[in-house]
Amino acid sequence: MNQQTRIHAANEDLMANAIRALAMDAIQKARSGHPGAPMGLADVATVLFNRFIKLDPSADKWPDRDRFVLSAGHGSMLLYAVNHLLGYDDMDMDQLRHFRQLGYRTAGHPEYGHAKGIETTTGPLGQGIATAVGMALAERMHNARFGDELVDHRTWVIAGDGCLMEGISHEAIDLAGHLRLGRLILFWDDNGITIDGSTDVSTSMDQQKRFEAAGWHVQSIDGHDKEAIAAAIKAAQADDRPSMIACRTVIGFGAPNKQGTAATHGAPLGDEEIAAAREALGWTWPPFEVPQEVYDSWHAIAARGRTAREAWEARLAANPRRDAFTASISAPDTAALGRAIADYKARLSADAPKVATRKASEMALEVVNATLPNTVGGSADLTGSNNTRTKGMVDVTRDDFSGNYIRYGVREHGMAAAMNGIALHGGFVPYGGTFLVFADYARPAIRLSALMGVPVTYVLTHDSIGLGEDGPTHQPVETIASLRAMPNLTVIRPADAVETAEAWEIAAASTGTPTALCLSRQGLPTVRTKHTEANMVARGAYVLRNPGGPRDVTLIATGSEVEIALNAAETLGADGIRAAVVSAPCFELFAAQPKDYRREVLGQPPRVGVEAAVRQGWGLMLRHRDAFIGMTGFGASVRVKDLYEHFGITAQAVAQAARAVMEQGDFA
Amino acid sequence: MNQQTRIHAANEDLMANAIRALAMDAIQKARSGHPGAPMGLADVATVLFNRFIKLDPSADKWPDRDRFVLSAGHGSMLLYAVNHLLGYDDMDMDQLRHFRQLGYRTAGHPEYGHAKGIETTTGPLGQGIATAVGMALAERMHNARFGDELVDHRTWVIAGDGCLMEGISHEAIDLAGHLRLGRLILFWDDNGITIDGSTDVSTSMDQQKRFEAAGWHVQSIDGHDKEAIAAAIKAAQADDRPSMIACRTVIGFGAPNKQGTAATHGAPLGDEEIAAAREALGWTWPPFEVPQEVYDSWHAIAARGRTAREAWEARLAANPRRDAFTASISAPDTAALGRAIADYKARLSADAPKVATRKASEMALEVVNATLPNTVGGSADLTGSNNTRTKGMVDVTRDDFSGNYIRYGVREHGMAAAMNGIALHGGFVPYGGTFLVFADYARPAIRLSALMGVPVTYVLTHDSIGLGEDGPTHQPVETIASLRAMPNLTVIRPADAVETAEAWEIAAASTGTPTALCLSRQGLPTVRTKHTEANMVARGAYVLRNPGGPRDVTLIATGSEVEIALNAAETLGADGIRAAVVSAPCFELFAAQPKDYRREVLGQPPRVGVEAAVRQGWGLMLRHRDAFIGMTGFGASVRVKDLYEHFGITAQAVAQAARAVMEQGDFA
């Protein structure tokens, strides 16, 4: 231990106890929260921040900062206390005093965007680990492009027993081990306690052996021994594998009568126990008071970071590739993208190809990937089916991170969370594919994409019974509705190659909303044969076929069913019935249009909706008495054509439904 | 090797090649399917069935049969070929000739209920393993109740690389190892190939070490060496831990030019390659033809099973507890349940408790668990929050399976799949708890509950922003809509203790539909103070407050918002506005009511819907122009009362919306 380290170490007890005291006090004042984790982890956090971490609270978005992820999100007061002590200007004591209260940044679980220094939203267990894998991967990929001078940071994760029980943790650690993400260091808060009591109640997992099996470097230490913590971190840094440090801790450390029990996990300690803890810890200051010497120690970390950041800025300024670097972490060049897509659309309308929209997605991606330099593709082991790998894409491997295509494996959930991490890290615009029905496997991470507002694109192919023989387990009927139900998720189901190109323009240009593209397996004709410069998908829905004269009925369809609606309109037209056809690729974007536009598009009732899925979610498009041709139950294992006949999703059925709703009358 | 085994072994090559030939031919005829797995696994399957498995095709529901689960469900032709060869009477050659075609049992993936000998639906990867864990657990629990004489069978699983990459596999193997389910034996089809190519592309997991870390017995063998397969199975049977046998196989074994490559995974081999495979395998018979000697060998397995089954039936007949055994595997005694719930409801209406519906669920469960002898509870580590453990419940442990409460750990997905397995096994009626928002983690398994129609009950507490400070990551706003979108799932959100009792009666009596109970964290008054013998929740929705005289407006609410609607109606009543209040705990059951009843309950517009969630899914209840008071985005981390104020879900807001829709007029 050198002189400086000794000074730090002498003060580290106080630094850690400041975290404990602030956590106890804030949770008690809120009468709600989880003191166990912040108190148990205070020593680990103190050593990590004091001796290792690289960040600058005065420049919270500095690209080369270390990323710190509290996967055990219920321990949020650990993060808030640390960020307060470090001196983040939006985390003053008033925030801690108002933990979990309206109008404050100190939410029950750390919410990305609420305060500086919160790298990702955590709380749903396991997500933090899997998101951190994406961050660590993005770091290596960015490093492969811009070198150690500009990209040279680490991703630190604190995870609890719950995180390691969740299935997503398996997907994450397998992927991290496979890609040998040596910059990822995970502290396991090995306190032996879950909500239901001792972890013995529900697990016998040898976690160290498990991580070793996944190719990780593994250590086990006393999580309250600061020199052991420091030594383990140094060893982890020296190893080229991702590292797991099992930290044996006492949950609620410092609370003399409750520590080591589930009683400290999710409830305030109570005034009496807090007083006893102050006594036991030798923390003599009143609630929400921290002595200046402790602040000084924490602020020294910030000062160290500031120096590093300033040196980095000097390096960036002198770097010949500084413009490319800045571009990589900036919003996409939507003007260039718009021009490229418009040109491509003109060609498409002329060619009028008949292709599956999954294939159309690949064609559009050729344009997108050629225009935006930092897209990163991938698939959960369905590359050939999802059509996610465009020409010239190169796999990212543990030996070479300069590629732009990620083999996520059969890990939909891990892929989604990793994409969140890549997007949050910056430098890349991630998209990844699976079958639409398996969006269910990834749903908790998709929800975090939406909640955080990170622009991830989900390429969800095989989007209906139209996938055919694989049968009901693979046929989404309720999945589109379940995605449309989610706030802040743009769900697009394009009808042809033109709409698919427009959908990709929206997805790739998005900065605050994730996108789910629902794409067909089966071939579809081009229905947008008349070229328009304007992105019609951006309006959500639009009149594709205008019958001329006042409408008798409006047929509204999405995706593969637009063709069916058009055929139905022709049939009706032959009988002198004027049927408009509305293509409605995106309900969310349509809902955001002005009321007048919506009225104009939808026309007066009667209407018929057509989608090879359940009706739920069509409330915006259809009145109660309008008809809907779709699914009411699960699918079946049959050839596509037979399936559409079997379930009655045909032009004849649509035409018949149109006649029936017209006869019904009474559509005020 | 004794004499008999030698005879078997001599024929086993032919037996295995029959599987290969049938798989090749059926998939080629269908022009769709996955030959790689059936051909690679034919030797493992042959040895398993020929020398070990216990089942009787003439009594496919025999309770003491072994359970065989093909977790790698895309290899469905393996199962269909085996079941055909064994002589299941619903799997004749015509079925194989019409693989993946309309009106046949041979769906693309094995679908539970489509044919005998399909123990569970598989295809979504990893589900089979996790479901099998539930089956193996149920076997031990049933054994603990009825002894080796009546319950003494094994659960066999074949899993592929994809199954082991999925997160759910982690939850399943951790739970199985923890509970030391020694009757569970898993064959890992270690063929090194996934859809995207070599498994090296996406994983570096040491699977054997991983299973050892979870407490499993592990072996590795050549999956084409029949004696090695048999020896490994014997060793697995002798060990008291769950066993994983890594079987190194060649995917598409027998197809000389394609075997060992991803080309055999998911596409027909083609006529030329099939001819070459026939040559290589020495299989000289034409397509869909199997020589009698091979049938004889397979039928000998069935005969062995029949003998075992008859002996078992004799033991059952002589067993003093035969009636209890029969009752345990029969449908629940709904008459007794109905009486018990009715009595309990009478007491409740008199007491009018103010309790959270999660607490009311516990109170109702006290009645259910006292009435039905074979309910099995559990929670994904939220026992105290989900209120799932009633008085006198005893934990199931590896040392004692006679208990009736399962500590599932922080494993929502594994819990849901295990409950599917418990229900499919028979003998028990499982329910399990987590937070409603974390239904997302379990969604793929919930979907299989619905698709298979197994009567599992999901106890989903903390069902809205009403959970308060834990914030948006824990607050469902779209989750109820996403569950309502799913076919064949009964979603119930009760308003008080009486409705909760009725909801439990429906859930516990269900035989073909899973139930999701959405329950509040916060206390709610009893709104059903007038006792009714009838189960009103079973009607889906009903008039709770009749204003007397013609209605001016109808307020429709669910769960915790019914109280708010009642208060709004009082406010409106004070102004002379006649507002009816409809409690609508279950949209699915309401949709199934006669039209006249639905009209009577909903009344004429205008209406106001109230639910602390998104509007999607309310199409059945509300016209387009009716009002809805609920959520349009994610929640926030604040105290409950403040949250409802913040998001405008209050009696005042409802009353105001009612006035507005009334003024709007024009509700034809």
Side-chain angles (χ1 to χ4, degrees):
Chain A
M1 216 168 10
N2 65 26
Q3 179 68 17
Q4 200 187 354
T5 307
R6 254 200 303 277
I7 292 166
H8 284 169
N11 221 3
E12 277 173 347
D13 282 342
L14 279 173
M15 292 172 77
N17 286 337
I19 295 173
R20 293 189 174 100
L22 290 172
M24 288 193 297
D25 294 341
I27 291 163
Q28 186 63 31
K29 186 153 187 298
R31 302 196 178 283
S32 170
H34 299 75
M39 297 177 76
L41 289 163
D43 296 315
V44 170
T46 297
V47 173
L48 168 62
F49 278 81
N50 194 36
R51 307 199 201 181
F52 296 94
I53 217 161
K54 176 173 81 169
L55 48 75
D56 178 4
S58 72
D60 66 299
K61 293 292 179 193
W62 171 32
D64 201 32
R65 73 191 180 280
D66 284 359
R67 305 308 196 265
F68 174 71
V69 175
L70 184 66
S71 190
H74 52 274
S76 56
M77 267 310 304
L78 174 75
L79 185 56
Y80 301 146
V82 164
N83 286 357
H84 166 77
L85 293 163
L86 285 168
Y88 280 91
D89 62 7
D90 63 350
M91 194 54 69
D92 59 23
M93 194 63 92
D94 200 42
Q95 291 290 336
L96 305 192
R97 284 178 186 277
H98 293 87
F99 178 52
R100 294 186 158 218
Q101 287 181 49
L102 191 62
Y104 289 85
R105 304 173 187 284
T106 42
H109 293 81
E111 301 281 345
Y112 175 72
H114 283 216
K116 297 176 183 175
I118 299 175
E119 300 286 359
T120 182
T121 294
T122 52
L125 293 175
Q127 297 291 335
I129 299 175
T131 306
V133 168
M135 294 175 176
L137 173 56
E139 193 269 349
R140 283 296 87 188
M141 291 173 63
H142 219 208
N143 173 278
R145 284 151 176 80
F146 295 101
D148 290 346
E149 268 211 348
L150 298 185
V151 184
D152 183 21
H153 54 271
R154 295 180 190 277
T155 302
W156 311 91
V157 186
I158 291 184
D161 295 300
C163 290
L164 297 192
M165 281 198 227
E166 290 287 0
I168 189 175
S169 69
H170 169 63
E171 301 183 17
I173 74 165
D174 191 359
L175 185 60
H178 177 67
L179 291 172
R180 205 175 271 259
L181 300 176
R183 296 304 185 99
L184 177 65
I185 299 179
L186 181 148
F187 301 92
W188 167 34
D189 184 18
D190 179 13
N191 60 31
I193 296 292
T194 68
I195 292 175
D196 271 11
S198 165
T199 50
D200 295 347
V201 164
S202 56
T203 184
S204 304
M205 181 64 75
D206 181 338
Q207 293 289 0
Q208 295 178 53
K209 192 166 183 175
R210 173 195 175 200
F211 275 81
E212 281 169 6
W216 285 53
H217 170 243
V218 175
Q219 301 171 81
S220 176
I221 57 165
D222 174 349
H224 300 295
D225 176 342
K226 296 190 183 66
E227 296 316 315
I229 297 166
I233 293 175
K234 277 182 189 155
Q237 287 180 326
D239 200 280
D240 70 346
R241 294 167 290 176
S243 269
M244 190 278 263
I245 304 173
C247 305
R248 288 186 311 281
T249 63
V250 176
I251 190 170
F253 183 94
N257 306 303
K258 293 188 173 179
Q259 67 182 16
T261 75
T264 68
H265 171 82
L269 295 177
D271 290 329
E272 198 176 325
E273 181 72 0
I274 290 175
R278 283 193 141 71
E279 180 82 24
L281 294 167
W283 185 264
T284 55
W285 295 273
F288 300 108
E289 200 174 305
V290 175
Q292 191 56 44
E293 65 176 298
V294 175
Y295 275 125
D296 289 347
S297 299
W298 281 98
H299 291 168
I301 302 168
R304 181 183 73 209
R306 187 183 184 117
T307 305
R309 193 252 306 166
E310 286 166 353
W312 179 88
E313 280 174 352
R315 290 198 301 278
L316 176 65
N319 193 296
R321 301 200 54 229
R322 66 178 175 277
D323 291 343
F325 183 89
T326 304
S328 78
I329 57 168
S330 305
D333 182 349
T334 51
L337 181 66
R339 283 190 302 272
I341 292 285
D343 288 352
Y344 167 60
K345 274 166 54 184
R347 294 199 302 277
L348 272 183
S349 294
D351 295 351
K354 177 169 178 166
V355 291
T357 48
R358 62 175 171 145
K359 178 64 185 171
S361 170
E362 182 182 343
M363 292 157 58
L365 268 172
E366 295 284 2
V367 178
V368 171
N369 289 343
T371 310
L372 303 182
N374 53 348
T375 48
V376 175
S379 166
D381 195 50
L382 290 168
T383 295
S385 300
N386 299 145
N387 297 70
T388 33
R389 197 167 190 271
T390 58
K391 281 191 269 305
M393 283 194 124
V394 173
D395 285 0
V396 171
T397 69
R398 61 163 65 177
D399 300 316
D400 184 357
F401 290 92
S402 67
N404 52 3
Y405 194 80
I406 301 167
R407 301 283 184 172
Y408 287 108
V410 189
R411 304 185 189 99
E412 301 82 8
H413 203 176
M415 173 175 75
M419 290 201 295
N420 285 341
I422 292 168
L424 288 165
H425 177 276
F428 300 97
V429 176
Y431 67 85
T434 184
F435 289 163
L436 174 58
V437 79
F438 299 140
D440 278 1
Y441 274 80
R443 192 169 168 92
I446 297 175
R447 190 178 203 261
L448 284 184
S449 309
L451 180 57
M452 292 191 282
V454 290
V456 166
T457 301
Y458 295 95
V459 181
L460 304 170
T461 69
H462 296 57
D463 72 348
S464 75
I465 53 168
L467 65 86
E469 293 92 335
D470 271 344
T473 54
H474 285 52
Q475 290 164 354
V477 295
E478 79 290 18
T479 321
I480 295 175
S482 78
L483 293 173
R484 286 184 184 139
M486 198 179 281
N488 197 40
L489 177 68
T490 304
V491 181
I492 309 182
R493 187 165 187 251
D496 70 359
V498 178
E499 283 194 359
T500 305
E502 293 176 342
W504 262 112
E505 183 183 0
I506 293 162
S510 175
T511 53
T513 303
T515 307
L517 302 179
C518 305
L519 303 167
S520 76
R521 175 183 188 237
Q522 72 273 33
L524 302 177
T526 296
V527 295
R528 281 273 295 285
T529 45
K530 206 176 101 187
H531 174 61
T532 62
E533 190 84 11
N535 185 321
M536 297 308 291
V537 171
R539 311 218 60 178
Y542 61 94
V543 178
L544 180 65
R545 178 189 193 272
N546 202 318
R551 303 182 195 175
D552 294 315
V553 64
T554 300
L555 313 179
I556 309 169
T558 79
S560 44
E561 285 70 72
V562 171
E563 177 189 9
I564 291 171
L566 286 170
N567 291 339
E570 290 301 319
T571 305
L572 291 167
D575 289 354
I577 297 171
R578 290 183 300 272
V581 174
V582 170
S583 181
C586 183
F587 290 12
E588 296 81 18
L589 293 173
F590 186 62
Q593 296 299 308
K595 200 170 182 179
D596 286 349
Y597 177 77
R598 296 208 310 271
R599 279 196 178 151
E600 182 194 319
V601 169
L602 296 180
Q604 285 300 309
R607 304 180 193 128
V608 181
V610 198
E611 186 169 58
V614 299
R615 180 169 178 160
Q616 186 180 308
W618 275 75
L620 183 71
M621 300 293 176
L622 300 179
R623 308 282 162 122
H624 196 74
R625 304 175 73 171
D626 290 334
F628 180 75
I629 298 293
M631 300 290 290
T632 56
F634 292 108
S637 169
V638 188
R639 283 181 310 184
V640 185
K641 198 179 162 303
D642 292 347
L643 272 173
Y644 273 83
E645 294 280 342
H646 179 66
F647 289 110
I649 306 175
T650 61
Q652 294 90 314
V654 173
Q656 197 176 347
R659 288 192 179 93
V661 287
M662 284 170 60
E663 276 166 28
Q664 188 181 283
D666 184 21
F667 292 102
Chain B
M1 221 173 4
N2 62 27
Q3 178 68 16
Q4 200 187 356
T5 308
R6 252 198 306 276
I7 293 167
H8 284 171
N11 220 4
E12 277 173 346
D13 281 343
L14 280 173
M15 293 172 77
N17 285 338
I19 296 173
R20 293 189 175 100
L22 291 172
M24 288 192 298
D25 294 339
I27 291 163
Q28 186 63 31
K29 185 155 189 297
R31 303 197 175 280
S32 168
H34 300 75
M39 297 177 75
L41 289 163
D43 296 314
V44 170
T46 297
V47 173
L48 168 62
F49 277 81
N50 194 35
R51 307 197 202 181
F52 296 95
I53 217 162
K54 177 173 81 170
L55 48 75
D56 178 5
S58 71
D60 66 299
K61 291 294 178 192
W62 170 31
D64 201 32
R65 72 192 181 280
D66 283 0
R67 304 310 196 262
F68 174 71
V69 175
L70 184 66
S71 190
H74 52 275
S76 56
M77 267 310 303
L78 174 74
L79 186 56
Y80 301 146
V82 164
N83 286 357
H84 166 75
L85 292 164
L86 286 168
Y88 279 90
D89 62 7
D90 62 352
M91 194 54 69
D92 58 24
M93 195 62 93
D94 200 43
Q95 291 291 335
L96 305 192
R97 283 180 185 278
H98 293 88
F99 179 51
R100 294 185 157 219
Q101 288 182 48
L102 192 61
Y104 289 85
R105 305 173 188 285
T106 42
H109 293 82
E111 300 282 344
Y112 175 73
H114 283 215
K116 298 175 182 176
I118 300 175
E119 300 286 359
T120 183
T121 295
T122 51
L125 293 175
Q127 296 293 334
I129 300 176
T131 305
V133 168
M135 292 174 176
L137 173 56
E139 193 269 350
R140 281 297 87 186
M141 291 173 63
H142 219 207
N143 173 276
R145 283 152 177 79
F146 295 102
D148 290 346
E149 268 212 345
L150 298 185
V151 185
D152 183 21
H153 53 271
R154 295 180 188 278
T155 303
W156 310 91
V157 186
I158 292 183
D161 295 300
C163 290
L164 297 192
M165 280 199 227
E166 289 287 359
I168 189 174
S169 69
H170 169 63
E171 301 183 18
I173 74 165
D174 191 359
L175 186 59
H178 176 68
L179 290 172
R180 204 174 272 260
L181 299 176
R183 295 302 185 100
L184 177 66
I185 300 178
L186 181 147
F187 301 91
W188 168 36
D189 184 18
D190 179 13
N191 60 30
I193 295 291
T194 68
I195 293 175
D196 270 11
S198 164
T199 50
D200 295 348
V201 163
S202 57
T203 184
S204 304
M205 181 64 75
D206 180 338
Q207 292 290 0
Q208 296 178 52
K209 192 167 183 176
R210 173 195 173 199
F211 276 82
E212 282 169 5
W216 285 53
H217 171 242
V218 174
Q219 301 172 80
S220 177
I221 58 165
D222 174 350
H224 300 296
D225 177 341
K226 295 190 185 65
E227 296 315 316
I229 297 166
I233 294 176
K234 278 184 189 153
Q237 287 180 326
D239 200 280
D240 70 345
R241 293 166 291 177
S243 269
M244 190 277 264
I245 303 173
C247 305
R248 287 187 312 280
T249 63
V250 177
I251 190 169
F253 183 94
N257 306 304
K258 293 188 172 178
Q259 67 182 16
T261 75
T264 67
H265 171 83
L269 294 177
D271 290 329
E272 197 176 325
E273 180 72 0
I274 289 176
R278 282 194 141 70
E279 181 83 23
L281 294 168
W283 184 263
T284 55
W285 296 273
F288 300 108
E289 199 174 306
V290 175
Q292 190 57 44
E293 64 175 299
V294 175
Y295 276 125
D296 289 346
S297 300
W298 280 99
H299 291 168
I301 302 169
R304 180 183 73 207
R306 186 183 186 119
T307 305
R309 193 252 306 165
E310 286 167 352
W312 178 88
E313 279 174 352
R315 289 200 301 278
L316 176 65
N319 193 297
R321 300 200 55 228
R322 66 178 175 275
D323 291 343
F325 183 89
T326 304
S328 79
I329 57 168
S330 306
D333 182 349
T334 50
L337 181 65
R339 283 190 302 274
I341 293 286
D343 288 351
Y344 167 60
K345 274 166 56 186
R347 294 199 302 277
L348 273 182
S349 294
D351 294 352
K354 178 168 178 167
V355 290
T357 48
R358 62 176 170 144
K359 178 64 185 172
S361 170
E362 182 182 342
M363 292 158 59
L365 268 172
E366 295 284 1
V367 177
V368 171
N369 289 343
T371 309
L372 303 181
N374 53 347
T375 49
V376 175
S379 166
D381 196 49
L382 289 168
T383 295
S385 300
N386 299 146
N387 297 69
T388 34
R389 197 167 190 271
T390 58
K391 280 191 269 308
M393 283 193 124
V394 173
D395 284 1
V396 171
T397 69
R398 61 162 65 176
D399 301 316
D400 184 356
F401 289 92
S402 67
N404 53 3
Y405 193 80
I406 301 166
R407 301 284 184 171
Y408 286 107
V410 189
R411 304 184 188 100
E412 300 82 8
H413 204 176
M415 174 175 75
M419 290 201 294
N420 286 341
I422 293 169
L424 289 165
H425 177 278
F428 301 98
V429 176
Y431 68 84
T434 184
F435 290 162
L436 174 57
V437 79
F438 298 139
D440 277 1
Y441 274 80
R443 191 170 168 91
I446 297 175
R447 189 176 202 263
L448 284 184
S449 309
L451 180 57
M452 293 191 281
V454 291
V456 166
T457 301
Y458 295 95
V459 180
L460 304 169
T461 70
H462 296 58
D463 72 347
S464 75
I465 53 167
L467 66 85
E469 292 91 335
D470 272 343
T473 53
H474 285 52
Q475 291 165 354
V477 295
E478 79 289 19
T479 320
I480 294 175
S482 77
L483 293 174
R484 286 184 185 138
M486 197 178 281
N488 196 41
L489 176 68
T490 304
V491 181
I492 309 181
R493 187 166 187 249
D496 69 359
V498 177
E499 284 193 359
T500 306
E502 293 175 342
W504 262 113
E505 183 182 0
I506 293 162
S510 175
T511 54
T513 304
T515 307
L517 302 178
C518 305
L519 304 167
S520 76
R521 176 184 186 235
Q522 72 272 32
L524 301 176
T526 296
V527 294
R528 282 274 293 286
T529 45
K530 207 175 101 188
H531 174 61
T532 62
E533 191 83 11
N535 186 321
M536 297 307 292
V537 170
R539 312 222 56 182
Y542 61 93
V543 179
L544 180 65
R545 179 190 192 270
N546 203 318
R551 301 181 196 176
D552 293 316
V553 64
T554 300
L555 313 179
I556 308 170
T558 78
S560 45
E561 285 70 73
V562 171
E563 176 190 10
I564 291 171
L566 286 169
N567 290 339
E570 290 300 319
T571 305
L572 291 166
D575 288 353
I577 297 171
R578 289 182 301 272
V581 175
V582 170
S583 180
C586 182
F587 289 13
E588 296 82 17
L589 293 173
F590 186 62
Q593 295 299 309
K595 200 169 183 179
D596 286 348
Y597 176 76
R598 296 208 311 269
R599 279 194 176 151
E600 181 195 318
V601 169
L602 296 179
Q604 285 300 310
R607 304 180 195 128
V608 181
V610 197
E611 186 168 59
V614 299
R615 181 168 177 162
Q616 185 183 307
W618 275 76
L620 183 71
M621 300 293 177
L622 301 179
R623 308 282 162 119
H624 198 74
R625 305 175 74 170
D626 291 332
F628 180 76
I629 298 293
M631 300 289 290
T632 56
F634 292 109
S637 169
V638 188
R639 283 181 309 183
V640 185
K641 198 179 162 304
D642 293 346
L643 272 172
Y644 272 82
E645 294 280 343
H646 180 65
F647 288 110
I649 306 174
T650 61
Q652 294 90 313
V654 173
Q656 197 177 345
R659 288 193 179 94
V661 286
M662 282 170 62
E663 275 166 29
Q664 188 181 285
D666 184 21
F667 292 102

